[in-house]
Amino acid sequence: MKRSLNDLNKHYEDLSKHFVEGVIIRNGWKYREQENDNDIDGEIEVFTEERETTAKLLKVQLKATTNLKIDGDSVLFDCPVKFLNFCDVCDIPVAIIVYDVEIERAFWLWTQQYISTVLENDNSMWRANSKTVRIRIPISNKVEKEVNFYSEIESIATHGVNIIQQLRKQNTSEYYYTILEEQDNSTLQKRRLSARIYVERSFATSKDSMIELVRKINNKIYENNFNKKIFKGITLNDTPDYIWLYFYDDIVHLNHGLPFCRTEWVNDIKDEFIVFKDRFDTEIVEENIRVKWYEDYRTLNDNIKYNSISKREYFEKMLPFINYINSVFLEINRLIYSNENNSFNTFIEENSKEIDDMYISLSDEGYTPYECKDLNNALMDSYTELSNFVSEIKPNMNNKYFVESRERELYEQLLVLNYELGKVEGH
C-alpha cells in the first residue's frame, strides 16, 4: 500500500521557514507566509519596542541547500533569473535568504541594492541568462538573533522604497517590455484606452513579476492619456474611465491575437460596464485592476506555426459572429430612422448582454490563418465599436442625438469589416 511521503525538498523549505520565523518573532516582529506567490515566500513586518506596527515590510524569498558554497568572505548562490526579474521591477524591498540545512544557519541579501550596485557593474548582461545568475552574499550577512541583524532589516524596511528609486538610473521595468500599440476607443461619455505589449519571455513566466509590470504599464498608459484635441492645442484633462492591456510573449501569438494575459482597469469600481466582472483570475484590489491569464496559449506555438486552421474552418467559426453583428446593426439602423425610440431602447436593453458575451467569446476563439489576420482585426474592432455603442445607451431616455453621432462610427467600422471579408473571399 502506498503511503504519503514527506517530500525532502519540502522538508528543507519548512526547516528554513521555521529558522527564519524563529529569529524574526524573537524580536517582537511578525513573519507571514505568502503561499500564493511564486517569487515570494513571506514578509517581515517591523514593530516598535512598544509592540506597535511601523507598517514597514520586507518581502522574503527562502532558499534551502545542503551544499552551501563559500568563497572567501562570500556565500555563492546560483539565483533563479525569474526571481531577480521580479525584484528588478518590484518597488518594495525584497531579500533572498539562503539556509544551510546541514549547519542550521542562514544568510541574507537585499536583492534590489545588489542588482543596482553589483550585478549592473559586474555582469550587466545578466538579464540574458536563461535560468540562473551567480550571486555573492557577504558571509557577514547572517540571519541571527543579534542587534546588528535586526537594525539592518529595520533600516531596509523603513527606507528601502526611497533607496530603490534613488538606485535605479531608469525605470528598470522597461528592460522587459515594449508597448507595440496604443489605441483610444473613447465614446462621448467614456474615455477608453487600450494597448498591446510585448513582454520578454523569461520575465512573462512569472505571475508575480507580471503583476508588478501591470501596475507600472497601466500607470504609464494612464499618464500618457491623449486624443486628437492635442493637435488643436487643447489641453486634455479627462481621466480615463477604462484601460485594457493585452500582453504577448511571442510574435506568433501577437499575429494571431493570442495574449497570454490581459487586464482591465476601471476608474469607478461601481461601473456596470466591466468586461472582466465575472471572468478574471487575479485582482489587484487597491488599484481596481482585474487580470485574466491564458496560460494554454504558450503551448500553442508549434501548433500555430505548423497547423494553422484553414480559411474554410476559420470562416465556419467566424460566420456566426459576422452574421450577428450585421443583423444587429441593420436592426439598430432601422429603429433609428423609423423614430421608434421606445422600440430602440427595448432592443438595446434586450440584446446588450448577448452583445457583450459575443464580444468576449470572439476574443477567446483562438488563432487565425495568416491571410485572415486583417479580417479578424476588423471583426474585433467592429465588436469593440458595437460594444461601446450599446454600453452608452441609457434605458428609458431619448438617446437620439447620441445614437446618431455614434451610428456613423459603427457604420464605418462595418464597411472596413466587409471590405476585409471581400479581400479574404477573393484569395
Side-chain angles (χ1 to χ4, degrees):
M1 177 185 296
K2 290 185 177 180
R3 300 177 184 272
S4 62
L5 299 174
N6 185 9
D7 180 79
L8 197 55
N9 289 331
K10 180 64 169 62
H11 176 60
Y12 293 157
E13 290 175 8
D14 289 341
L15 289 174
S16 67
K17 180 192 71 174
H18 289 303
F19 177 87
V20 172
E21 186 176 23
V23 173
I24 297 305
I25 64 175
R26 178 69 178 79
N27 199 44
W29 296 353
K30 286 186 178 180
Y31 177 85
R32 297 188 190 85
E33 287 187 76
Q34 294 188 227
E35 297 180 352
N36 294 328
D37 288 348
N38 295 323
D39 294 305
I40 295 297
D41 293 314
E43 66 181 19
I44 297 170
E45 181 180 0
V46 176
F47 285 72
T48 66
E49 292 182 359
E50 292 75 27
R51 306 291 182 177
E52 293 182 352
T53 182
T54 64
K56 303 301 181 183
L57 304 173
L58 175 67
K59 300 289 186 180
V60 175
Q61 170 70 287
L62 302 177
K63 294 293 182 181
T65 180
T66 57
N67 184 28
L68 191 73
K69 298 181 178 68
I70 297 179
D71 178 28
D73 59 357
S74 300
V75 171
L76 305 182
F77 182 71
D78 293 329
C79 187
V81 171
K82 188 175 77 166
F83 168 68
L84 290 174
N85 286 343
F86 168 75
C87 299
D88 202 23
V89 299
C90 185
D91 295 328
I92 299 173
V94 182
I96 185 169
I97 296 179
V98 178
Y99 177 70
D100 184 347
V101 175
E102 300 295 332
I103 310 180
E104 298 182 4
R105 58 180 177 172
F107 303 88
W108 65 274
L109 183 71
W110 180 16
T111 53
Q112 287 106 328
Q113 184 185 59
Y114 186 83
I115 289 171
S116 295
T117 61
V118 179
L119 272 186
E120 293 294 359
N121 294 319
D122 296 348
N123 183 11
S124 61
M125 299 300 293
W126 67 267
R127 295 178 184 85
N129 288 27
S130 58
K131 293 184 179 179
T132 63
V133 173
R134 174 153 291 187
I135 63 175
R136 303 179 73 94
I137 304 174
I139 204 165
S140 58
N141 283 15
K142 295 178 182 177
V143 178
E144 55 187 356
K145 300 171 185 176
E146 296 290 342
V147 173
N148 287 344
F149 169 70
Y150 296 126
S151 178
E152 289 195 68
I153 295 302
E154 181 176 4
S155 178
I156 295 171
T158 303
H159 306 292
V161 173
N162 290 333
I163 293 174
I164 288 169
Q165 296 306 316
Q166 294 169 17
L167 287 170
R168 290 173 176 167
K169 298 179 179 62
Q170 68 175 84
N171 183 356
T172 57
S173 64
E174 293 182 358
Y175 284 116
Y176 303 103
Y177 75 90
T178 302
I179 297 177
L180 302 173
E181 177 185 54
E182 292 182 59
Q183 287 187 336
D184 186 334
N185 301 311
S186 300
T187 66
L188 292 178
Q189 298 185 43
K190 297 289 186 180
R191 286 197 53 72
R192 299 175 177 177
L193 310 178
S194 65
R196 288 177 168 78
I197 301 103
Y198 174 78
V199 181
E200 194 274 327
R201 172 64 64 85
S202 65
F203 185 94
T205 57
S206 167
K207 287 185 178 179
D208 295 333
S209 299
M210 282 301 305
I211 290 297
E212 293 298 319
L213 198 63
V214 165
R215 297 176 192 269
K216 294 175 186 293
I217 296 179
N218 199 88
N219 187 58
K220 190 179 185 75
I221 300 299
Y222 179 96
E223 293 180 346
N224 198 33
N225 166 28
F226 72 95
N227 69 13
K228 295 177 182 177
K229 293 179 182 178
I230 291 176
F231 293 120
K232 299 179 181 179
I234 301 173
T235 302
L236 179 66
N237 296 316
D238 296 343
T239 298
D241 294 290
Y242 310 100
I243 296 176
W244 291 298
L245 304 180
Y246 302 83
F247 294 89
Y248 307 85
D249 62 0
D250 190 301
I251 295 300
V252 174
H253 292 172
L254 171 64
N255 289 339
H256 291 276
L258 294 174
F260 70 86
C261 166
R262 61 178 179 167
T263 70
E264 175 183 66
W265 171 87
V266 292
N267 188 41
D268 182 2
I269 195 63
K270 296 179 182 179
D271 199 316
E272 293 182 359
F273 186 72
I274 301 178
V275 176
F276 287 173
K277 187 180 293 185
D278 303 311
R279 298 179 173 92
F280 63 89
D281 301 310
T282 305
E283 187 169 19
I284 309 174
V285 178
E286 64 275 18
E287 297 182 41
N288 292 347
I289 297 175
R290 275 150 297 284
V291 183
K292 178 70 176 177
W293 305 101
Y294 296 93
E295 294 173 315
D296 291 344
Y297 287 174
R298 286 201 176 91
T299 66
L300 291 176
N301 197 38
D302 289 339
N303 193 36
I304 291 172
K305 288 180 179 177
Y306 305 116
N307 298 296
S308 288
I309 60 175
S310 66
K311 286 195 294 181
R312 175 178 176 177
E313 292 172 295
Y314 173 75
F315 278 136
E316 288 175 349
K317 292 176 69 175
M318 292 300 109
L319 192 58
F321 294 99
I322 294 169
N323 289 340
Y324 182 77
I325 194 169
N326 277 310
S327 65
V328 168
F329 174 72
L330 286 174
E331 184 61 14
I332 287 175
N333 192 60
R334 186 188 71 80
L335 291 171
I336 289 173
Y337 293 103
S338 65
N339 292 317
E340 298 177 28
N341 189 61
N342 291 335
S343 298
F344 173 80
N345 287 346
T346 300
F347 176 78
I348 294 298
E349 193 169 359
E350 289 177 349
N351 286 272
S352 60
K353 185 180 185 305
E354 186 174 4
I355 289 169
D356 281 342
D357 286 343
M358 291 287 281
Y359 179 34
I360 294 298
S361 298
L362 174 63
S363 60
D364 289 342
E365 272 299 322
Y367 53 90
T368 307
Y370 182 81
E371 62 269 32
C372 298
K373 283 193 306 175
D374 290 341
L375 170 60
N376 198 71
N377 291 336
L379 189 56
M380 279 296 300
D381 289 343
S382 296
Y383 267 92
T384 299
E385 193 60 52
L386 179 60
S387 184
N388 287 345
F389 179 90
V390 171
S391 69
E392 299 300 313
I393 303 303
K394 307 301 179 186
N396 304 317
M397 289 181 61
N398 187 342
N399 299 287
K400 178 178 175 60
Y401 294 108
F402 170 76
V403 168
E404 288 180 353
S405 68
R406 296 301 299 176
E407 187 259 351
R408 180 165 183 79
E409 299 288 336
L410 177 57
Y411 176 71
E412 289 177 352
Q413 196 57 62
L414 286 169
L415 286 179
V416 173
L417 171 62
N418 284 286
Y419 170 73
E420 294 298 340
L421 181 62
K423 280 168 54 179
V424 174
E425 289 174 334
H427 277 203

